Amino acid sequence: MESSKNSLIPSFLYSSSSSPRSVLLDQVINSNSNAAFQSPNLEKNSPSPSPKTMASRKNFLIASPTEPGKGIEMYSRDFYAACTVGGILSCGLTHMAVTPLDLVKCNMQIDPAKYKSISSGFGILLKEQGVRGFFRGWVPTLLGYSAQGACKFGFYEFFKKYYSDLAGPEFAAKYKTLIYLAGSASAEVIADVALCPFEAVKVRVQTQPGFARGMSDGFPKFVKSEGYGGLYKGLAPLWGRQIPYTMMKFASFETIVEMIYKYAIPNPKHECSKGLQLGVSFAGGYVAGVFCAIVSHPADNLVSFLNNAKGATVGDAVKKIGMVGLFTRGLPLRIVMIGTLTGAQWGLYDAFKVFVGLPTTGGVTPAPAVKA
């Protein structure tokens, strides 16, 4: 971990011996400890503390993340746990925040005759359901995408390392994009299994007014109507939407960030401030999100149609929506939503990594193995 990394913990709490404040605080603690140990009662009833005991009593200061051996080891269990928590925060919070946009988008896909545009969609929802209606379905959104984010980011970091080790240093550097694609696809297969039941309830709640108020009453109603198997009716279309989306999200992000550091920023990544690095993460994520929206949009229309119509099939969806409609219906709104969403996700994810003492994602090309 680079030595220039700035900690989010105030510097006066560091236990580094070179810190004047730390030395001063040690002196104060030492003097107070000596005064306490020189009291008559302690002199009579207790043995003098050893230097080791004294050191342990005053050595309570928080270690600086810049000090060797104090941070999270890369690719350790703590590393993957931190990435998992970062994924929960980045996906769960961002998807919940754009619930109004998602609500309008789903209704435009299901009933384009009524919801003809973004502005008219918001107007209709406001008139029929009020301001509270804009956040209908926020609970399954939060729970579902938190579960998905945990698996998406946590398993991506795992599979990226696993496939890189299988390939070896030389091929990992040469075919890094293929490793990004394979790692993200593998992670998303698992993530969608976690997301699918929540997505089914969310779409039904958002597109059928009166069906349910949210997750607590919507889940049992859905199961009663279609059984537990119905919760996974949309899994194949969900894979069709999310796997290309996630492959594009991670591979393009890694490539874009690497190009930004290579061509747009004069200094190496490790010399850039954390604020600049997080700005690069957001910018790279936003551009990647635009590509994600385009490649995954047909499957997104299928997921919305299948989860809204009981007993519907993919053939029914294609027949009713049409091939052109699959690619274009609701696309402008989804580009805005997914671009913002993906940029915010990468920004939050890397911000959490910085908070726990880890480097931001991407920007460093793997070095090929040196042949003897």
Side-chain angles (χ1 to χ4, degrees):
M1 207 166 289
E2 67 267 23
S3 60
S4 62
K5 180 166 44 182
N6 294 326
S7 172
L8 295 178
I9 303 171
S11 59
F12 64 84
L13 292 176
Y14 292 169
S15 61
S16 173
S17 59
S18 61
S19 171
R21 289 173 179 162
S22 178
V23 172
L24 179 60
L25 188 55
D26 278 351
Q27 291 172 351
V28 173
I29 295 168
N30 194 27
S31 63
N32 290 340
S33 299
N34 289 338
F37 283 117
Q38 288 171 1
S39 66
N41 292 335
L42 287 177
E43 285 179 353
K44 291 179 181 179
N45 301 324
S46 302
S48 298
S50 64
K52 184 177 180 180
T53 303
M54 288 288 291
S56 66
R57 286 178 179 173
K58 70 176 183 175
N59 236 357
F60 66 94
L61 301 180
I62 299 172
S64 165
T66 61
E67 294 177 331
K70 301 293 185 181
I72 296 177
E73 181 183 354
M74 293 292 290
Y75 310 117
S76 63
R77 281 190 293 182
D78 288 344
F79 168 79
Y80 293 120
C83 294
T84 299
V85 174
I88 291 173
L89 296 174
S90 67
C91 290
L93 295 178
T94 52
H95 275 276
M96 184 184 69
V98 298
T99 296
L101 284 173
D102 188 43
L103 188 62
V104 173
K105 184 263 301 178
C106 287
N107 280 283
M108 288 177 67
Q109 292 171 331
I110 297 302
D111 192 357
K114 181 178 181 180
Y115 299 89
K116 297 180 180 180
S117 66
I118 299 172
S119 57
S120 67
F122 276 108
I124 292 170
L125 287 174
L126 181 63
K127 182 180 179 180
E128 293 183 352
Q129 303 176 32
V131 176
R132 293 183 63 182
F134 287 129
F135 288 92
R136 195 169 73 251
W138 72 269
V139 174
T141 298
L142 175 63
L143 297 177
Y145 283 95
S146 293
Q148 187 213 35
C151 298
K152 184 197 295 278
F153 282 92
F155 280 109
Y156 171 70
E157 298 287 1
F158 170 80
F159 283 118
K160 182 170 71 170
K161 176 68 164 58
Y162 178 74
Y163 293 144
S164 295
D165 290 343
L166 285 181
E170 182 177 356
F171 287 107
K174 186 176 180 180
Y175 301 107
K176 59 183 182 294
T177 302
L178 291 178
I179 289 174
Y180 301 150
L181 292 170
S184 57
S186 301
E188 191 60 38
V189 169
I190 300 170
D192 288 344
V193 174
L195 169 65
C196 194
F198 300 97
E199 182 76 359
V201 176
K202 175 188 80 73
V203 172
R204 187 68 60 89
V205 168
Q206 289 181 336
T207 58
Q208 292 188 11
F211 171 74
R213 294 188 304 274
M215 186 69 186
S216 59
D217 59 336
F219 183 83
K221 281 187 178 181
F222 192 102
V223 172
K224 184 178 180 180
S225 173
E226 302 197 26
Y228 286 100
L231 293 169
Y232 285 93
K233 180 179 67 175
L235 181 59
L238 189 62
W239 275 333
R241 180 188 80 182
Q242 290 298 130
I243 292 176
Y245 166 88
T246 301
M247 293 171 72
M248 181 65 72
K249 174 179 180 176
F250 284 87
S252 61
F253 172 82
E254 297 261 17
T255 303
I256 291 167
V257 167
E258 183 180 326
M259 292 176 66
I260 291 174
Y261 283 114
K262 187 175 182 179
Y263 298 109
I265 298 178
N267 297 327
K269 176 184 174 181
H270 69 273
E271 294 181 3
C272 298
S273 67
K274 292 303 179 187
L276 177 57
Q277 290 184 34
L278 293 177
V280 170
S281 294
F282 177 82
Y286 195 96
V287 176
V290 174
F291 296 131
C292 292
I294 294 171
V295 302
S296 64
H297 193 65
D300 184 63
N301 274 314
L302 288 176
V303 170
S304 296
F305 184 89
L306 292 174
N307 284 327
N308 178 70
K310 182 178 180 180
T313 64
V314 174
D316 296 333
V318 174
K319 184 177 179 180
K320 183 169 184 179
I321 300 175
M323 289 301 298
V324 175
L326 284 176
F327 284 88
T328 59
R329 183 180 291 180
L331 180 60
L333 176 57
R334 193 158 185 266
I335 286 177
V336 174
M337 185 181 82
I338 297 299
T340 306
L341 195 72
T342 309
Q345 285 177 356
W346 278 113
L348 281 173
Y349 178 66
D350 277 347
F352 182 78
K353 289 176 73 175
V354 168
F355 177 76
V356 298
L358 290 169
T360 58
T361 309
V364 180
T365 305
V370 180
K371 296 182 179 180

